[in-house]
Amino acid sequence: MESIPFDVMDPDCPSRVVLQRIGDKWTPLIVHALKDGTLRFSELRVAVGGITPKVLTQTLRTLERDGLVERTVFAEVPVRVEYRLTALGESLLGPLDAVRAWAESHAGNILQARDAFDATV
Amino acid sequence: MESIPFDVMDPDCPSRVVLQRIGDKWTPLIVHALKDGTLRFSELRVAVGGITPKVLTQTLRTLERDGLVERTVFAEVPVRVEYRLTALGESLLGPLDAVRAWAESHAGNILQARDAFDATV
DNA sequence: CGGTATCCGTACGGATACTG
DNA sequence: CAGTATCCGTACGGATACCG
């Protein structure tokens, strides 16, 4: 095995696919919503404002497939489904939260920069 | 001003727009390419493998508008254009690099998880 | 060299309604 | 409750060719 197996700057490297997955529209929000533990489908829907059930399902399936989220179905009536981060998913929490925190704390600067830029053009 | 002005979990919060911008397909790669200093358009093209000139221009314009990248044109023949991160852009370097590093170091796990998942389905 | 212009395909996300 | 099914629009990215 090599010392640097993956390189996002290489267009053919799988890590680039991974980078885009975790950088998609909803993944960061869902992962962040699950940081404190288990949530049910409907709770996730509320926690992640604005997401439609279809897209939530889609994203959760992808996250499950990628080994970031674990899905547990309880055979009750009505049925209960719980989602939680796997160890791999939890390891993503830190990096993702850093970006999220940056976005929240610098959103003002960016909005400001946009206004300034648009004013000159 | 409020203590928590921005919240990505709020669908109407501008920080969510910001989060999606910096999480788009090329932004992390471009920012990472510029981490060591100034690059010209054609150097960026090479550094970020697989990007077309049109999309590179588009992304750079957005980054410039958002105050993350500075564009300098030198009136020479042939013309020289240099791109570099602003202070704001450099502040994004850390968070983004954390995600990039995660993607590179965990790409293997994810690929593996996918195979396992696909095998059961 | 550093882009633009043009055209194109699709894949993603959204809205709504329905179901086991 | 936890999804699916269906339909839809567009916006994004890509390929190619051309320009100041």
Side-chain angles (χ1 to χ4, degrees), chain B residues 24-26 52 54-55 58 79:
Chain B
D24 89 340
K25 186 166 183 178
W26 299 107
T52 59
K54 173 192 154 188
V55 174
Q58 272 181 4
V79 70

Side-chain angles (χ1 to χ4, degrees), chain B residues 61-73:
Chain B
R61 284 289 180 284
T62 311
L63 290 173
E64 193 190 354
R65 185 169 102 102
D66 287 354
L68 300 173
V69 162
E70 192 184 36
R71 177 177 180 266
T72 313
V73 183

Side-chain angles (χ1 to χ4, degrees), chain B residues 77-96:
Chain B
V77 179
V79 70
R80 190 170 95 247
V81 180
E82 291 188 346
Y83 294 92
R84 57 185 292 264
L85 295 177
T86 62
L88 188 59
E90 281 177 0
S91 75
L92 179 57
L93 220 39
L96 230 47

